[in-house]
Amino acid sequence: MFAVLKNLGWFFSRERKRYLIGIIMLAIVGVFELAPPKLLGDAIDRISSGTITFQALMYYTGAIALIVVIIYGITYIWMHSLFGGSNLVERLLRKRFMAHLLRMTPPFFERSRTGDLMARATNDLRSVAVTVGFGMLTLTDSTVYLLTVLLAMGFLISWKLTLAAILPLPFIAISMAIYGKVVHSRYTLAQDAFGDMNDQVLESIAGVRVIRAYVQERQDEKRFTHITNDVYRKNLAVALVDGLFEPTIRLFVGLSYIIGLGYGVYLVFHNQLTLGDLVSFNIYLGMMIWPMFAIGELINIMQRGNASLDRVNETLAVKPDVEDIAEPVHVEHPDEITFDDVVFRYPTSTVDNLQHISLRIQAGETLGVVGRTGSGKSTLLKQLLHEYPTGSGELNIGGVPIQHIAKDELHSWLGYVPQEQILFSRSVRNNIRFGKSDASDEDVMAAIRTAAFDTDLHTFPEGLDTIVGERGVALSGGQKQRVSLARAFIAQPHILILDDALSAVDARTEARIIENIRTERAGKTTLIATHRLSAVEHADHIVVLDKGSIIEEGTHAELLAAKGWYHEQYERQQVSDSLDEEVS
Ligand code: ATP
Ligand code: MG
């Protein structure tokens, strides 16, 4: 049941001082709280025996007032330590969670759903934090405090009466344990459902344009109603057990009162107890209600925390699909890239997505990758990112197998413009500086000129400070592509990978960018995948892919002479290009 606390042992030992202070203060408050009932009992005894004086009355009220003030101060300290710790653990865990997500490679994100990950990072971590704060409080109150009250009842009043009154206690513990188990399983289901719902919301919002365009609003609403109903039902199931905790405890506490009062009056009649003692005892019994509730709360909250922490840990336990080896090899000159009989398959694929690829790209060369859609162009380029476990064959950079290169080092050489651009909702400048955080405005402008984005930039009233909107919604497709290009250019990477990065710009702009790339990147390696053959005409070597295999390769001239797929495609594009010219 306390797995969650054990699991967070590192945190408690790190914050040992905080918790020690908190718990000791809580215990001290418990002791102080014992005094007023006893003082009250004594006062009543003196009233009933007629020995009370004005001075004595002043003493009793003064003492009680003083104790209340002390309790006020101490309570502040423990509240501050315990609940402050709960916020701290939430922050630490969330940081760890995020850092973990950033280490993960694409296969992980293909398996997980964003909404569910978000639910874990928010809802579940909150629940763990509550467990740490409120759980610690209830843990202390249901043990230390309960014990203090019990000892006070026994020693100050009567052990006989105390033992009789706590007879129902074990039953509370037993029923709480039973409820706790149910809460755990139901709460896990409820949190899972919440994750599903999050996912659906995310998808609907991201796809709202498509949903509208296809008039699927009703359909989507229905799906959403369905899933919120699911969340509702599962949380209702939790609430049903939740609701049992309190009445059950009240039942047994009521029993305690009956025993305490019945047996207490009996003892008073037999002169084994004074009236004042009975009053004090009943106040102590009242003070036991909270610790008994605390037992229930403790179990309830621990089980929720366990369920949530299990979900968080499940994510944290996932190892990156591609991990650095223990002693990575440092590559002096990451120049030559060689593929030697590389066969690769995505983890979820049933066929080989690259078949027997052998290639040699010398330093400073430009490689063109063409082929029909789905032929494996992106897959081939992405091999260099080493995002997926490698297949058979060997891929070397600078003579070192890619598995032996540290990922950070590998990525420091690469500039990558993916087929789907990802921009962040920041300014144009900051999106570009993403490639090189210390870049000056001149650097940014130079990269923008290389990417032929300068003419567009003039049309933005705020220039570099223009905010591109979420994922770049405020830019056109071609503008997004060129901002992505500039982001890759600015770092002047050793190896530049352009995956269909010019597909959304017109032929003239494309020609300009290609020309810039040729001059700017002379002596550096560039890999270009494209559907438009004009973008690779200048390449030193061109490969044509089909179903993951190289079916033709050579220079532009050689491939034209071979009269294969490349030639045919080239002719077709020439015709359509000249048609375009006539139209425009
Ligand atoms: P396009 O011209 O449309 O960009 P492409 O040549 O870049 O196509 P790839 O994206 O490399 O094609 O895809 C090659 C094959 O690999 C396709 O059959 C595709 O279904 C499969 N594939 C791509 N990505 C994944 C993935 N993450 N998991 C499983 N299969 C994938
Ligand atoms: Mg592709």
Side-chain angles (χ1 to χ4, degrees):
M1 182 180 92
F2 296 109
V4 56
L5 298 186
K6 216 167 116 195
N7 220 305
L8 293 171
W10 59 271
F11 175 73
F12 292 117
S13 71
R14 210 191 91 157
E15 293 292 310
R16 200 176 314 129
K17 213 172 108 197
R18 169 193 294 277
Y19 284 97
L20 223 58
I21 292 178
I23 289 169
I24 289 174
M25 289 299 153
L26 250 178
I28 293 177
V29 167
V31 174
F32 271 106
E33 278 181 353
L34 296 175
K38 183 66 189 149
L39 290 172
L40 190 67
D42 285 353
I44 287 177
D45 277 344
R46 291 183 69 170
I47 293 170
S48 62
S49 63
T51 57
I52 189 106
T53 62
F54 181 70
Q55 260 134 356
L57 189 65
M58 287 314 278
Y59 160 74
Y60 286 127
T61 45
I64 291 176
L66 181 70
I67 287 167
V68 168
V69 171
I70 294 174
I71 288 176
Y72 172 88
I74 299 180
T75 303
Y76 175 76
I77 301 176
W78 71 249
M79 277 261 182
H80 186 77
S81 334
L82 288 194
F83 293 110
S86 114
N87 287 314
L88 193 64
V89 77
E90 188 176 356
R91 190 190 71 177
L92 283 174
L93 282 176
R94 193 164 287 142
K95 243 169 78 181
R96 200 179 266 200
F97 194 79
M98 190 63 198
H100 183 74
L101 292 188
L102 289 176
R103 269 209 313 280
M104 288 291 120
T105 42
F108 169 81
F109 295 99
E110 285 164 17
R111 289 190 303 265
S112 345
R113 291 157 312 130
T114 317
D116 192 47
L117 288 178
M118 277 172 63
R120 289 170 199 227
T122 52
N123 217 6
D124 285 310
L125 283 183
R126 189 81 272 275
S127 158
V128 173
V130 167
T131 307
V132 168
F134 201 54
M136 268 308 201
L137 168 65
T138 48
L139 180 63
T140 317
D141 278 348
S142 61
T143 52
V144 182
Y145 186 53
L146 185 66
L147 210 68
T148 331
V149 178
L150 274 181
L151 290 179
M153 284 160 78
F155 281 119
L156 299 179
I157 319 280
S158 150
W159 274 112
K160 260 199 282 187
L161 189 56
T162 305
L163 292 179
I166 61 166
L167 276 180
L169 244 178
F171 295 100
I172 296 189
I174 293 169
S175 38
M176 291 307 113
I178 296 172
Y179 296 164
K181 274 214 190 74
V182 184
V183 163
H184 183 100
S185 60
R186 293 193 181 177
Y187 192 65
T188 307
L189 290 180
Q191 292 295 79
D192 285 347
F194 182 80
D196 289 344
M197 183 184 75
N198 250 8
D199 218 48
Q200 159 102 42
V201 171
L202 213 71
E203 198 168 271
S204 294
I205 293 177
V208 68
R209 289 187 184 81
V210 180
I211 292 174
R212 280 223 196 93
Y214 286 85
V215 205
Q216 289 293 309
E217 293 99 325
R218 287 281 158 277
Q219 237 9 64
D220 204 62
E221 250 175 50
K222 245 193 237 153
R223 282 208 310 151
F224 190 66
T225 312
H226 187 72
I227 202 157
T228 42
N229 276 341
D230 189 47
V231 173
Y232 168 73
R233 269 188 294 106
K234 286 178 176 158
N235 276 304
L236 199 65
V238 177
L240 277 179
V241 207
D242 254 359
L244 282 178
F245 278 85
E246 200 170 320
T248 308
I249 292 170
R250 280 201 186 285
L251 192 75
F252 287 115
V253 167
L255 213 58
S256 277
Y257 262 113
I258 293 170
I259 297 171
L261 192 68
Y263 190 49
V265 170
Y266 171 86
L267 289 176
V268 171
F269 268 115
H270 287 80
N271 281 331
Q272 297 183 13
L273 208 69
T274 67
L275 183 63
D277 280 343
L278 186 61
V279 171
S280 303
F281 186 84
N282 271 291
I283 299 180
Y284 285 141
L285 258 189
M287 285 168 68
M288 286 218 354
I289 297 182
W290 161 242
M292 291 195 194
F293 271 118
I295 298 177
E297 286 289 330
L298 176 69
I299 291 170
N300 190 344
I301 238 162
M302 286 295 151
Q303 293 299 9
R304 284 164 178 252
N306 279 339
S308 279
L309 193 64
D310 284 350
R311 276 166 50 84
V312 172
N313 279 341
E314 185 190 21
T315 304
L316 285 180
V318 180
K319 293 254 177 303
D321 296 79
V322 182
E323 273 190 296
D324 282 349
I325 59 163
E327 280 172 32
V329 180
H330 170 66
V331 184
E332 203 58 53
H333 301 287
D335 291 330
E336 196 186 48
I337 302 168
T338 55
F339 287 76
D340 189 13
D341 200 29
V342 169
V343 177
F344 171 81
R345 169 188 297 214
Y346 286 104
T348 53
S349 174
T350 49
V351 293
D352 289 338
N353 302 95
L354 285 180
Q355 305 186 34
H356 308 288
I357 303 286
S358 293
L359 259 180
R360 166 177 300 246
I361 308 152
Q362 250 129 31
E365 274 189 350
T366 298
L367 174 78
V369 184
V370 298
R372 65 181 90 232
T373 176
S375 57
K377 300 182 294 295
S378 302
T379 309
L380 178 65
L381 295 189
K382 278 195 282 191
Q383 293 304 303
L384 290 174
L385 303 176
H386 198 203
E387 290 176 330
Y388 292 87
T390 41
S392 66
E394 223 171 66
L395 168 54
N396 294 320
I397 299 182
V400 179
I402 198 160
Q403 297 92 320
H404 294 185
I405 304 174
K407 285 189 89 181
D408 282 350
E409 188 176 9
L410 174 67
H411 290 162
S412 73
W413 309 322
L414 300 178
Y416 173 51
V417 183
Q419 195 161 13
E420 294 90 27
Q421 293 81 41
I422 310 281
L423 295 184
F424 299 96
S425 47
R426 307 177 187 171
S427 63
V428 171
R429 176 193 289 109
N430 286 340
N431 263 296
I432 294 174
R433 286 220 303 207
F434 206 76
K436 186 183 174 201
S437 44
D438 57 349
S440 67
D441 271 6
E442 282 84 71
D443 295 341
V444 174
M445 280 315 295
I448 284 179
R449 273 191 295 275
T450 314
F453 188 61
D454 44 347
T455 42
D456 296 69
L457 195 66
H458 295 315
T459 64
F460 296 159
E462 302 191 35
L464 283 179
D465 290 314
T466 309
I467 301 290
V468 302
E470 200 173 10
R471 279 180 246 172
V473 285
L475 300 182
S476 79
Q479 286 170 341
K480 261 190 274 188
Q481 275 197 334
R482 279 171 293 154
V483 172
S484 308
L485 273 175
R487 176 169 65 194
F489 288 148
I490 198 163
Q492 304 193 328
H494 273 288
I495 302 163
L496 179 64
I497 301 170
L498 305 180
D499 191 354
D500 217 10
L502 303 170
S503 58
V505 302
D506 56 60
R508 201 164 308 156
T509 312
E510 178 192 272
R512 213 184 120 196
I513 298 173
I514 293 290
E515 193 46 46
N516 291 342
I517 290 177
R518 293 184 66 170
T519 48
E520 293 279 324
R521 295 200 51 81
K524 295 199 183 94
T525 311
T526 308
L527 288 77
I528 304 175
T530 180
H531 281 278
R532 274 227 293 267
L533 303 186
S534 50
V536 289
E537 256 175 56
H538 70 286
D540 301 290
H541 193 72
I542 302 169
V543 294
V544 180
L545 291 179
D546 190 30
K547 299 197 184 95
S549 306
I550 297 179
I551 51 164
E552 292 169 36
E553 60 184 312
T555 61
H556 176 66
E558 285 165 6
L559 285 170
L560 281 187
K563 301 261 182 238
W565 182 90
Y566 188 92
H567 174 256
E568 186 192 327
Q569 193 69 8
Y570 187 74
E571 298 274 277
R572 205 176 289 155
Q573 291 187 357
Q574 288 300 77
V575 175
S576 66
D577 277 357
S578 55
L579 283 178
D580 285 349
E581 289 283 303
E582 274 168 40
V583 172
S584 59

